Amino acid sequence: TQEVAQLLRRIAGLALAMEGEADVVARLIGELQAAQASLAAIAPEDMAPRVGPDAPAGKRVYLDHSRDIGAYNPCFPEYIIEVEGSRARGTVTFPLAFEGPPGIVHGGVLATFLDCVIQHHNCDVGVAGKTTSLLMEYHRPTPLFELLSFEIDRQVDDTRIISRARLLRAEKPEKV
């Protein structure tokens, strides 16, 4: 799953960069259609997740979506995170597959990314919950292909976890 995720993300970026017809893309489409048919023949009929020790057979395996989503999901960027209690920090580079405006990461992708790394942080420290609110403030366009850093600060009270995350240019500590 991890190899497929990395490869599909890179192939998507390369295919998006193509202009005009290319024989390799036509062959790739044919090979992917054949792979889809082969996988569909052996995939579980019930695509509901199989969760817990007493889950009935015949459903799909559930991958824990609380951590390292980019490692196994080609629709999410890979990232590195280091958790130290109420603080976490890490790095990410958004490839072409996440482009919105020209050369810029799509804002919805940024919101999803921050929601997921905040969840990763919360799971690593042992207390997590469902996102009830997410407020994004965009200060500058976020560039593709550039190493970015992120920081998360977390506070917990009796009923809520409040996390504040910042996405910054790795070279210059400037908010994006």
Side-chain angles (χ1 to χ4, degrees), residues 50-74:
R50 184 178 68 238
V51 179
D54 299 325
K59 295 184 177 196
R60 71 172 168 84
V61 65
Y62 175 75
L63 297 173
D64 182 353
H65 291 93
S66 64
R67 296 174 176 87
D68 296 321
I69 298 168
Y72 60 84
N73 185 335

Side-chain angles (χ1 to χ4, degrees), residues 127-148:
V127 179
K130 296 176 182 168
T131 302
T132 58
S133 177
L134 180 66
L135 171 65
M136 293 286 298
E137 293 182 21
Y138 300 94
H139 295 272
R140 287 178 181 67
T142 303
L144 293 171
F145 310 118
E146 187 173 317
L147 183 66
L148 304 170

Side-chain angles (χ1 to χ4, degrees), residues 80-134:
I80 296 170
I81 187 170
E82 296 174 8
V83 174
E84 297 172 6
S86 64
R87 299 215 67 209
R89 63 186 52 170
T91 57
V92 63
T93 300
F94 291 93
L96 184 59
F98 303 107
E99 186 174 41
I104 304 299
V105 181
H106 189 284
V109 170
L110 293 172
T112 302
F113 170 75
L114 289 172
D115 186 36
C116 290
V117 295
I118 288 169
Q119 177 70 8
H120 186 146
H121 179 203
N122 287 329
C123 288
D124 276 7
V125 295
V127 179
K130 296 176 182 168
T131 302
T132 58
S133 177
L134 180 66

